[in-house]
Amino acid sequence: MPRIIETRRLTPVTKYFRIDAPLIAASAQPGQFVMLRVREGGERIPITIADYDRTAGILTIVVQEVGATTKRVCALEAGDEILDVAGPLGGQIEIPPGGHVCGVGGGFGSAALLCLMRELSTRGDRTTAILGARSKDLLILADELRAVCSSVEICTDDGSAGFKGFVTQRLAQLIAGDGPGRPDCVVAIGPMAMMRAVAETTRGPKVKTLVSMDPLMVDGTGMCGGCRVTVGGKAQFACVDGPCFDAHQVDFDVAMRRNKQYVREEKRAVERLACMAARELR
Amino acid sequence: MPVKRAEKTPMPVREPQQRAHDFREVNAGYTAFHAAFEAERCLRCQDPVCVDGCPVQIPIPDFIHLVAIGDMAGAAKILRAANPLPAICGRVCPQESQCEAECSMTGRFNPVAIGHLERYVADWERTQPAAAEAKITRKEKIAIIGAGPAGLVCAGELARLGYPATIYEALHAPGGVLRYGIPEFRLPKAVLDWEIGVLKTMGVQIVCNVIIGKTLTLDELFNRLGYAAVFIGTGAGLPQFLGIPGENLNGVMSANEFLTRINLMRAYEFPETDTPVRIGKRVAVIGAGNTAMDAVRTSLRMGAEEAMIVYRRSDREMSARIEEYHHAIEEGVKFHWLTNPLEILDDGSGWVDGLKCQQMKLGEPDASGRARPIPISGSEFVLPAENVILAIGTTPNPLLTRTTSGLLTNKKGCLVADEQTGLTSKSLVFAGGDAVTGTATVILAAGAGKRAAQAMHEALASRN
């Protein structure tokens, strides 16, 4: 059971973890994910790999509290063990070298850009990260990304930092030639609505765009088909054929609808967790 | 009440309407009286053809004779020497097409209930203190990929031969289909855990959460970790979909997804457990194999008022184990034979509303040897349903072969391996079970694991 070496609260709902996982750290590639389980009877959930230190054998992930299981994960501290961590799963991101790559991170999605941008910069690509959040306090890993990218563009809905507006608006300006200029390839990671909006922004100007899909998953190893995403009219499994796909081929409407299949049960699980926590405090 | 010699001693079974609403085991198991009574039916033939019908060649008349005279320990020893999973096989083997089909009583009378007797002896063994011991004497380490029946049996056999064997399992718990596929009411997980416990006592190591091909490559098992040989038992876990319209509607699942949520993730205990599964009033399961029977009977237990099998051929072409079919009928499963699914219908909000089907009739046999179904034009109708579960077959998961060089597969993605030894196209790499044959049975996988272990032993011995 892998031990947590370090944790850091990034925002009231996101937490950063460095985990002792030498085998995973040795073979992880940008774009891949791990499946976590934190208790007996617990769910398996997919979490994108934010970074890896192959020498130290450390895996870095960032988890956002969206439901019962992610809340349980974020309650863990340094020294705690995670019951099951399996990976690295999924395919690695393939981008032809030598161009200008723009990573667009929405909320917790910025974490997943970290190792990608680092590897691309190391091999000599020009890298820009566009990070978006509702306000300044909800931005994550901006400094870490500044350390590895050629440039970082901040976007906040309320204008408390950087460009006032959505990441898609800033991206459109870059495509038009502003700032770091038009990218050759865009990688968007974040809420599905955001990834869909990025796909629409780049479709007209024909900028190649990859998105990291996060459908509901059960095993994550290709055996159940629960994570199927329609890409170019064909069903692909996000856990083995993805999780990154050509954004202009993805059917986001179906993906967003399928992600809502268990909303009632998810709400029930969160309420139950809150009840149990309240009972413990009394 | 005396039972005629011609008939099998019936297996005590729970009442259908009660058992269809919980996950407790359906068959209660023979008592000592039933077992002795049934064992006496065995004629102890000069030429026991039943043994040839068994994929692992259990010396059937020998163990049955010991049951008849009350020597359970002796019977258990005979069973375990041939098959390290007797409590499982006694429950899930399709005896009607294996040992019992060959029994010389079959035809004129009922065969001897070999399966029920195997189960009885194995269950007796579970009540005894553990007898197994580790006798790991050799230096060559063997790596097994996949903790399903093929891998478990291969590892057990290697441990018996004195080799240190380590099984790498991708999921968080071992067992493969035994854990995620076969429901609790057919194979209680306590039984599986006990059988795996015996293997661990024999010296087998199991490491979970390691996906060979991702966490470690197969080549790294040799080069970095120093294994002398590798056995691949990765199964056939990739679910097939029909490609009909509506397959992505909410409420449509592969049987693998449904059963994995229920069996591996214990969704039937939600919200005490965290993985949910949503089953509506009416469930249509497409297919008629064991997986389809498991899915449709599980649907009843998850509260479906109407659980249906939809199959384009007839019951004669059905491939499910005959006992499961009878149990399904008793539990109230509805069967729509000669019915072909055409389209899954939307209720307007992205959820399943029904399954549009057409009637079929049977024609000449096709490539699979079974009668070819032919559509009857103008026969379309709709089966109202809230869920559609696809149990139309699985193929080998390509994860390992996509990431390993030198492993030949056939057109269906199955590993090419020698039928006798399991040797693949890669030196000192062996394979068996569904990964080689495509979807088959637990016992065939066990047999392949056993033969491969012997072949690996001979290959390593001849090297020294």
Side-chain angles (χ1 to χ4, degrees), chain B residues 71-123:
Chain B
D71 178 8
M72 294 313 154
K77 204 159 164 232
I78 291 180
L79 268 183
R80 193 155 284 284
N83 178 9
L85 305 176
I88 295 172
C89 293
R91 286 169 163 82
V92 309
C93 265
Q95 292 92 0
E96 72 270 17
S97 53
Q98 291 171 176
C99 49
E100 292 179 19
E102 299 300 318
C103 176
S104 54
M105 302 244 281
T106 292
R108 285 173 302 145
F109 310 115
N110 288 170
V112 174
I114 301 169
H116 294 335
L117 289 171
E118 182 182 22
R119 176 199 159 141
Y120 176 77
V121 173
D123 284 353

Side-chain angles (χ1 to χ4, degrees), chain B residues 6 19 46 53 80 123 128 139 165 213 225 228 236 248 255 275 320-321 337 367 410 412-413 429 435 464:
Chain B
R19 75 188 193 222
Q46 274 286 49
R80 193 155 284 284
D123 284 353
Q128 303 302 302
K139 291 253 167 50
L225 297 177
N248 283 333
T275 305
R321 193 170 172 265
W337 301 113
N410 69 13
K412 295 199 197 114
V429 176
N464 299 338

Side-chain angles (χ1 to χ4, degrees), chain A residues 9-276:
Chain A
R9 269 276 165 200
L10 299 180
T11 75
V13 293
T14 17
K15 201 161 177 183
Y16 168 100
F17 296 84
R18 291 177 78 238
I19 303 166
D20 175 33
L23 289 182
I24 303 178
S27 42
Q29 297 290 341
Q32 292 188 304
F33 63 96
V34 289
M35 292 298 277
L36 296 188
R37 210 172 68 116
V38 290
R39 68 181 197 118
E40 286 300 342
E43 265 188 299
R44 291 169 63 91
I45 57 168
I47 300 286
T48 312
I49 293 172
D51 208 353
Y52 39 85
D53 182 335
R54 303 204 202 281
T55 336
I58 307 263
L59 173 74
T60 300
I61 57 171
V62 171
V63 180
Q64 176 163 316
E65 290 179 33
V66 289
T69 305
T70 43
K71 280 190 203 295
R72 283 199 164 94
V73 174
C74 290
L76 297 173
E77 299 292 348
D80 290 335
E81 288 181 343
I82 303 181
L83 186 59
D84 297 294
V85 181
L89 293 162
Q92 61 182 96
I93 298 180
E94 308 268 343
I95 298 176
H100 173 203
V101 182
C102 179
V104 182
F108 68 93
S110 309
L113 290 176
L114 192 52
C115 55
L116 173 66
M117 299 277 107
R118 189 170 47 73
E119 297 284 2
L120 294 175
S121 298
T122 308
R123 78 171 184 191
D125 294 359
R126 195 151 63 84
T127 51
T128 301
I130 304 181
L131 310 180
R134 281 203 310 274
S135 75
K136 195 167 73 159
D137 310 318
L138 299 173
L139 285 166
I140 60 168
L141 302 183
D143 291 333
E144 285 83 349
L145 281 158
R146 268 190 201 98
V148 301
C149 294
S150 319
S151 56
V152 170
E153 302 273 323
I154 303 286
C155 307
T156 46
D157 295 5
D158 65 0
S160 47
F163 172 84
K164 177 163 194 253
F166 300 137
V167 291
T168 43
Q169 290 165 316
R170 187 64 189 133
L171 176 62
Q173 290 175 348
L174 261 70
I175 293 174
D178 195 31
R182 185 189 161 102
D184 300 301
C185 178
V186 168
V187 180
I189 310 186
M192 264 203 222
M194 177 218 115
M195 294 195 290
R196 180 173 60 180
V198 169
E200 289 321 301
T201 307
T202 57
R203 195 187 296 275
K206 293 199 180 50
V207 179
K208 169 122 172 96
T209 304
L210 296 172
V211 283
S212 173
M213 297 302 284
D214 65 337
L216 298 179
M217 285 189 189
V218 185
D219 63 293
T221 60
M223 57 166 276
C224 82
C227 66
R228 58 194 186 282
V229 178
T230 309
V231 183
K234 260 180 49 179
Q236 303 256 277
F237 291 5
C239 66
V240 292
D241 304 312
C244 288
F245 294 104
D246 176 352
H248 300 144
Q249 305 263 4
V250 169
D251 186 333
F252 282 98
D253 291 333
V254 169
M256 288 172 74
R257 184 190 15 93
R258 282 173 54 76
N259 259 25
K260 297 207 186 88
Q261 268 186 101
Y262 288 104
V263 158
R264 276 208 320 251
E265 289 82 355
E266 287 162 7
K267 190 153 171 274
R268 196 169 161 201
V270 167
E271 285 167 1
R272 187 168 182 273
L273 185 63
C275 271
M276 283 167 61

Side-chain angles (χ1 to χ4, degrees), chain B residues 138-333:
Chain B
R138 301 178 195 266
K139 291 253 167 50
E140 296 99 329
K141 309 188 301 182
I142 320 275
I144 316 266
I145 307 175
L152 289 171
V153 171
C154 184
E157 192 65 12
L158 286 167
R160 221 171 52 86
L161 292 165
Y163 291 95
T166 301
I167 308 180
Y168 290 99
E169 167 57 44
L171 295 174
H172 58 266
V177 273
L178 303 172
R179 172 107 31 209
Y180 73 74
I182 305 181
E184 181 73 15
F185 58 83
R186 274 217 291 145
L187 176 62
K189 297 302 161 279
V191 172
L192 173 63
D193 288 336
W194 189 88
E195 300 270 40
I196 291 176
V198 172
L199 291 172
K200 286 185 178 167
T201 318
M202 286 166 68
V204 171
Q205 306 230 313
I206 303 182
V207 178
C208 290
N209 296 315
V210 172
I211 306 103
I212 303 297
K214 292 282 185 191
T215 318
L216 283 166
T217 64
L218 193 148
D219 290 325
E220 278 177 309
L221 290 172
F222 286 109
N223 307 330
R224 243 180 81 191
L225 297 177
Y227 286 101
V230 172
F231 175 81
I232 301 174
T234 46
L238 188 74
Q240 285 179 273
F241 286 88
L242 279 171
I244 58 176
E247 231 164 15
N248 283 333
L249 289 171
N250 290 358
V252 182
M253 296 181 263
S254 71
N256 266 13
E257 180 185 347
F258 179 52
L259 293 172
T260 299
R261 282 178 182 269
I262 300 269
N263 300 325
L264 176 67
M265 309 307 295
R266 290 165 35 213
Y268 59 95
E269 290 172 339
F270 181 86
E272 270 78 46
T273 55
D274 298 334
T275 305
V277 74
R278 189 172 321 162
I279 286 295
K281 265 189 10 196
R282 295 160 297 198
V283 178
V285 175
I286 304 175
N290 285 316
T291 308
M293 289 304 150
D294 285 341
V296 80
R297 292 170 69 197
T298 299
S299 301
L300 281 177
R301 286 155 173 80
M302 292 306 292
E305 284 170 24
E306 205 178 306
M308 315 167 251
I309 287 279
V310 172
Y311 187 48
R312 62 194 181 126
R313 291 188 169 97
S314 78
D315 58 342
R316 259 173 310 193
E317 289 79 36
M318 169 194 77
S319 60
R321 193 170 172 265
I322 198 81
E323 193 179 33
E324 311 314 327
Y325 177 44
H326 291 150
H327 284 171
I329 294 174
E330 288 167 5
E331 287 165 14
V333 170

